[in-house]
Amino acid sequence: MQRVRLSSQQAPVHKLGDSQITLSPKFRLAVIQSSLLNPSPDLELSHGGEPLIPGLPDDVALNCLLRLPVQSHKASKAVCKRWHLLLGSKERFFTRRKELGFKDPWLFVFAYHKCTEKIQWQVLDLTNFSWHTIPAMPCREKVCPHGFRCVSTPRDGTLFVCGGTVSDADCPLDLVLKYEMQKNRWTVVNQMISARSFFASGVIDGMIYVAGGNSTDLFELDSAEVLDPVEGTWHPIARMGTNMASYDAAVLNGKLLVTEGWLWPFYVSPRGQVYDPRTNNWESMAVGLREGWTGSSVVIYGHLFVVSELERMKLKVYDADTDKWEAIEGPPLPEQICKPFAVNACDCRIYVVGRNLHVAEGHISRVSRKGTCEKKWCFGVRWNVVDSPDCFSDLTPSSSQLEVGIGAGNVSSQECQGLVWGELEGGLGVLDEAEKGGPGFGDGGGELDMY
């Protein structure tokens, strides 16, 4: 419990994890702030009393605690007051991680229940391979999970969810929601100029671009617009020159590539457009690029890769010099990964989320192609599967985004967690299996209190 003093002044009351509350004007409490509540690292580490972890300097102990998976916070914050102050507030926890330059990736999966179509976000910690949730989006209950488009600005730890459609009325939305990882909360930001669903989206130089899609009268759009996340305002850009909804989109070499994708049967060649923000101009996509774009795309090593929904779900790469697609070396997508799936990438790794939220992690390797004068690459892939917990058996992915701004630093996460669990056992006595990392803990099982 915090120390308090009586005061007749109208000072606010701060309660752990809550926003400001007010009392009657006659008697108000002014909290003497604990040094752990002060964002200054020096004051936080100089807090008197018990050390964060016995036997370790506080700066080392803090570095260990900041590596704990989010799923372990509920049990960990019961160890002592200092742990509770650090782990009981999402904003404080992530602020400290950001200050220390942590950069591990987290995979945010926008999923829906296959029967009820109720939407939710699940997050996979790609260092500890544990799942946790984030708060629900503030939007209508009856929305079509496929019509939204999601983008992220990883350096800021921010997600944007745009557009969508009301499922019982086929009415596109101009809604724009922003999730801030550091604050663990959603906010509604300025709406798009045009309501749209099933459109293209991408981030170029920190600016968010959207184009095409379906309009309120269910016709395809040719309009496009851009959001400056700093100013929070949308501005129109050049029209696409053709009305089209988007099957997939990618950002390559500073340009937005938009394809409407194949439709069965293959009677008509798909359309594709390319936008250059430097000239504010659209041009037609190369024939080989749009005709071979038969799946979900990512950009790795400056090349466009596609997880093909045909060709036994092999991974292939586009060669701009020849305007052709080439299958890369390695096996096809593992059998556990079933359509529909969502694809994203970080550095040289590709993450494919399939039905039931099983995740295939593909390590992309490259070697110089022999016998050529120009620098050409041969690519290969090696797959690893991260099985999902049983409670995800009814979930289907709609989109996935990677955030890398608030992860871990250089010290081994597993080593730090060993020290922390030792302190947990010493400080709490006997923990049940869920709290100590047994069945259902660290594998995504059970529910998580996200404060």
PDB file of all heavy atoms in Angstrom, residues 331-343:
ATOM      1  N   PRO A 331      11.300 -27.372 -49.204  1.00  0.00           N
ATOM      2  CA  PRO A 331       9.989 -28.044 -49.227  1.00  0.00           C
ATOM      3  C   PRO A 331       8.844 -27.045 -49.325  1.00  0.00           C
ATOM      4  O   PRO A 331       9.022 -25.851 -49.072  1.00  0.00           O
ATOM      5  CB  PRO A 331       9.965 -28.775 -47.872  1.00  0.00           C
ATOM      6  CG  PRO A 331      10.839 -27.932 -46.986  1.00  0.00           C
ATOM      7  CD  PRO A 331      11.923 -27.407 -47.871  1.00  0.00           C
ATOM      8  N   PRO A 332       7.657 -27.533 -49.682  1.00  0.00           N
ATOM      9  CA  PRO A 332       6.480 -26.654 -49.667  1.00  0.00           C
ATOM     10  C   PRO A 332       6.082 -26.334 -48.231  1.00  0.00           C
ATOM     11  O   PRO A 332       6.690 -26.813 -47.264  1.00  0.00           O
ATOM     12  CB  PRO A 332       5.403 -27.489 -50.366  1.00  0.00           C
ATOM     13  CG  PRO A 332       5.824 -28.904 -50.138  1.00  0.00           C
ATOM     14  CD  PRO A 332       7.322 -28.892 -50.134  1.00  0.00           C
ATOM     15  N   LEU A 333       5.050 -25.522 -48.091  1.00  0.00           N
ATOM     16  CA  LEU A 333       4.548 -25.151 -46.774  1.00  0.00           C
ATOM     17  C   LEU A 333       4.164 -26.416 -46.002  1.00  0.00           C
ATOM     18  O   LEU A 333       3.566 -27.332 -46.564  1.00  0.00           O
ATOM     19  CB  LEU A 333       3.329 -24.247 -46.954  1.00  0.00           C
ATOM     20  CG  LEU A 333       2.941 -23.302 -45.819  1.00  0.00           C
ATOM     21  CD1 LEU A 333       4.057 -22.323 -45.515  1.00  0.00           C
ATOM     22  CD2 LEU A 333       1.666 -22.565 -46.175  1.00  0.00           C
ATOM     23  N   PRO A 334       4.524 -26.508 -44.709  1.00  0.00           N
ATOM     24  CA  PRO A 334       4.182 -27.704 -43.933  1.00  0.00           C
ATOM     25  C   PRO A 334       2.687 -27.997 -43.951  1.00  0.00           C
ATOM     26  O   PRO A 334       1.847 -27.099 -44.049  1.00  0.00           O
ATOM     27  CB  PRO A 334       4.652 -27.343 -42.515  1.00  0.00           C
ATOM     28  CG  PRO A 334       5.742 -26.336 -42.724  1.00  0.00           C
ATOM     29  CD  PRO A 334       5.330 -25.552 -43.928  1.00  0.00           C
ATOM     30  N   GLU A 335       2.346 -29.285 -43.858  1.00  0.00           N
ATOM     31  CA  GLU A 335       0.956 -29.720 -43.984  1.00  0.00           C
ATOM     32  C   GLU A 335       0.053 -29.153 -42.899  1.00  0.00           C
ATOM     33  O   GLU A 335      -1.153 -29.014 -43.098  1.00  0.00           O
ATOM     34  CB  GLU A 335       0.893 -31.250 -43.944  1.00  0.00           C
ATOM     35  CG  GLU A 335       1.531 -31.918 -45.149  1.00  0.00           C
ATOM     36  CD  GLU A 335       1.426 -33.430 -45.083  1.00  0.00           C
ATOM     37  OE1 GLU A 335       0.908 -33.929 -44.047  1.00  0.00           O
ATOM     38  OE2 GLU A 335       1.844 -34.096 -46.036  1.00  0.00           O
ATOM     39  N   GLN A 336       0.633 -28.821 -41.710  1.00  0.00           N
ATOM     40  CA  GLN A 336      -0.204 -28.279 -40.630  1.00  0.00           C
ATOM     41  C   GLN A 336      -0.777 -26.914 -40.971  1.00  0.00           C
ATOM     42  O   GLN A 336      -1.758 -26.479 -40.370  1.00  0.00           O
ATOM     43  CB  GLN A 336       0.606 -28.151 -39.339  1.00  0.00           C
ATOM     44  CG  GLN A 336       1.139 -29.463 -38.799  1.00  0.00           C
ATOM     45  CD  GLN A 336       2.578 -29.684 -39.205  1.00  0.00           C
ATOM     46  OE1 GLN A 336       2.926 -29.531 -40.373  1.00  0.00           O
ATOM     47  NE2 GLN A 336       3.402 -30.037 -38.238  1.00  0.00           N
ATOM     48  N   ILE A 337      -0.172 -26.210 -41.920  1.00  0.00           N
ATOM     49  CA  ILE A 337      -0.597 -24.846 -42.257  1.00  0.00           C
ATOM     50  C   ILE A 337      -1.636 -24.932 -43.365  1.00  0.00           C
ATOM     51  O   ILE A 337      -1.312 -25.174 -44.528  1.00  0.00           O
ATOM     52  CB  ILE A 337       0.597 -23.973 -42.695  1.00  0.00           C
ATOM     53  CG1 ILE A 337       1.738 -24.090 -41.687  1.00  0.00           C
ATOM     54  CG2 ILE A 337       0.151 -22.540 -42.861  1.00  0.00           C
ATOM     55  CD1 ILE A 337       1.356 -23.677 -40.269  1.00  0.00           C
ATOM     56  N   CYS A 338      -2.896 -24.731 -42.985  1.00  0.00           N
ATOM     57  CA  CYS A 338      -4.006 -24.854 -43.936  1.00  0.00           C
ATOM     58  C   CYS A 338      -4.561 -23.479 -44.291  1.00  0.00           C
ATOM     59  O   CYS A 338      -4.556 -22.558 -43.475  1.00  0.00           O
ATOM     60  CB  CYS A 338      -5.121 -25.709 -43.333  1.00  0.00           C
ATOM     61  SG  CYS A 338      -4.601 -27.376 -42.861  1.00  0.00           S
ATOM     62  N   LYS A 339      -5.051 -23.367 -45.525  1.00  0.00           N
ATOM     63  CA  LYS A 339      -5.685 -22.117 -45.956  1.00  0.00           C
ATOM     64  C   LYS A 339      -6.994 -21.901 -45.207  1.00  0.00           C
ATOM     65  O   LYS A 339      -7.638 -22.885 -44.818  1.00  0.00           O
ATOM     66  CB  LYS A 339      -5.933 -22.165 -47.473  1.00  0.00           C
ATOM     67  CG  LYS A 339      -4.667 -22.231 -48.303  1.00  0.00           C
ATOM     68  CD  LYS A 339      -4.969 -22.144 -49.787  1.00  0.00           C
ATOM     69  CE  LYS A 339      -5.697 -23.372 -50.290  1.00  0.00           C
ATOM     70  NZ  LYS A 339      -5.887 -23.341 -51.756  1.00  0.00           N
ATOM     71  N   PRO A 340      -7.394 -20.628 -45.047  1.00  0.00           N
ATOM     72  CA  PRO A 340      -6.683 -19.414 -45.456  1.00  0.00           C
ATOM     73  C   PRO A 340      -5.552 -19.088 -44.493  1.00  0.00           C
ATOM     74  O   PRO A 340      -5.588 -19.462 -43.327  1.00  0.00           O
ATOM     75  CB  PRO A 340      -7.773 -18.345 -45.386  1.00  0.00           C
ATOM     76  CG  PRO A 340      -8.686 -18.824 -44.306  1.00  0.00           C
ATOM     77  CD  PRO A 340      -8.693 -20.314 -44.395  1.00  0.00           C
ATOM     78  N   PHE A 341      -4.549 -18.371 -45.003  1.00  0.00           N
ATOM     79  CA  PHE A 341      -3.454 -18.023 -44.124  1.00  0.00           C
ATOM     80  C   PHE A 341      -3.050 -16.565 -44.299  1.00  0.00           C
ATOM     81  O   PHE A 341      -3.414 -15.905 -45.268  1.00  0.00           O
ATOM     82  CB  PHE A 341      -2.246 -18.941 -44.335  1.00  0.00           C
ATOM     83  CG  PHE A 341      -1.865 -19.187 -45.777  1.00  0.00           C
ATOM     84  CD1 PHE A 341      -1.313 -18.187 -46.560  1.00  0.00           C
ATOM     85  CD2 PHE A 341      -2.053 -20.437 -46.325  1.00  0.00           C
ATOM     86  CE1 PHE A 341      -0.945 -18.433 -47.868  1.00  0.00           C
ATOM     87  CE2 PHE A 341      -1.697 -20.692 -47.648  1.00  0.00           C
ATOM     88  CZ  PHE A 341      -1.148 -19.694 -48.418  1.00  0.00           C
ATOM     89  N   ALA A 342      -2.317 -16.071 -43.294  1.00  0.00           N
ATOM     90  CA  ALA A 342      -1.803 -14.703 -43.292  1.00  0.00           C
ATOM     91  C   ALA A 342      -0.281 -14.768 -43.259  1.00  0.00           C
ATOM     92  O   ALA A 342       0.294 -15.640 -42.592  1.00  0.00           O
ATOM     93  CB  ALA A 342      -2.329 -13.925 -42.083  1.00  0.00           C
ATOM     94  N   VAL A 343       0.376 -13.855 -43.976  1.00  0.00           N
ATOM     95  CA  VAL A 343       1.821 -13.931 -44.159  1.00  0.00           C
ATOM     96  C   VAL A 343       2.465 -12.606 -43.772  1.00  0.00           C
ATOM     97  O   VAL A 343       1.937 -11.531 -44.071  1.00  0.00           O
ATOM     98  CB  VAL A 343       2.173 -14.270 -45.628  1.00  0.00           C
ATOM     99  CG1 VAL A 343       3.675 -14.419 -45.814  1.00  0.00           C
ATOM    100  CG2 VAL A 343       1.462 -15.543 -46.073  1.00  0.00           C
TER     101      VAL A 343
END
